[in-house]
Amino acid sequence: MPTASGKRATLAMVADAAGVSLATVSKVLNGRSDVAADTRVRVENVLREFGYVPQNGRRTVASRRLVDIVFDDLVSPYALEVLRGVTDAGTELGVDVVIGRMPEAGAEPSGPLSPEDAWAQRIKSGDREGLIVVTSELTLAQVESFTRAGLPLVVIDPLNLPRVEVTSVGATNFSGGITATEHLLGLGHRRVAFAGGPVGASCSQARLHGYRAALENAGATADPALVLHGGFGYQDGLEMGNRLLARENRPTAIFAASDATALGVLEAARRRGLRVPEDLSVVGFDDTMLARLATPALTVIRQPLHDMGRVALRTLLKLIAGETLDSHHVELATHLVVRDSTGPVPEHSRQGA
């Protein structure tokens, strides 16, 4: 129902008029008990005054809110950390999270709707108010289908962004790439390799640019032969590690674009009889449980994956409420965690370093 100004009432308007947070309004709408009685009465009065009706017009005050979170890979430690952040925030804010998989690319239409519109309508018909997509490649057709369905969208660590105005949450990948490389340079390494993700992945490209910037700042030569692209998985790291370590003048350190990739590099080194960190230093990126369980434990650039999930849900709720965001892209800080997989450049390599 519109307000006196002719605009449909949003949660943000209700919160502002009641002098409370968006989270408090959400709790009242969802019948949560952890709201003071006088606050609840004040919010309910504003809701009635504004004639607030949820977007689909069907949800009752006592019912739970629903959003979707969609992954390419549901079983990776990365995905689990992000999911934990989203669901923790959902518990606090009275929002249920429905977990799904990205539809397969190239699907044929099964009816009058395109595959993209069919997917968006399926989500919308399930009373979901919005969608979070994690580390997946989105097409412009998919983004447009969400817009047509009235589904706000937030992307976490996007592989690509079909539109600059797509809202996304990520980490400081560029500065993380600089920090990882500077750590290795500080240990005396000069032949530092980069085992990256997909060539078109924006987060991997940002890490690569940080790697190159750190080398240039140190006056070190960036050897193009030491830069490889693959995926973010263990097998990708094993293959890239094998290729890098088979070189006659092999690198003394490798910066891998993910923890799983770094584990593959560790295995490639083990198969060649190389010790880590005595013969080869390795840095990962993420700081999932894989990094802590690796042998040796991985030095990493830590992404705040749990916080990224929390911020993504809170940002999605702002979009659902009709709030204007200060920025379409939010970056959370990364930092270096030094463990056992990095050490000084090997003595026999110092002369040629």
Side-chain angles (χ1 to χ4, degrees), residues 237-293:
L238 179 59
E239 293 173 0
M240 288 186 283
N242 281 333
R243 289 170 59 189
L244 290 167
L245 298 177
R247 296 179 58 83
E248 183 177 352
N249 189 14
R250 63 173 176 80
T252 62
I254 298 177
F255 168 35
S258 76
D259 288 353
T261 306
L263 259 64
V265 171
L266 290 181
E267 176 60 14
R270 187 194 68 80
R271 292 182 185 183
R272 291 181 172 273
L274 298 175
R275 300 166 300 163
V276 175
E278 291 84 357
D279 302 315
L280 176 73
S281 286
V282 179
V283 176
F285 203 109
D286 285 337
D287 199 23
T288 62
M289 67 179 73
L290 292 178
R292 298 181 287 277
L293 296 176

Side-chain angles (χ1 to χ4, degrees), residues 29 84 159 169 195:
L29 282 169
R84 190 168 65 86
L159 296 187
V169 176

Side-chain angles (χ1 to χ4, degrees), residues 37-49:
D38 57 341
T39 301
R40 181 182 300 279
V41 170
R42 186 165 73 253
V43 172
E44 288 175 344
N45 286 339
V46 174
L47 287 167
R48 282 191 291 271
E49 179 184 339

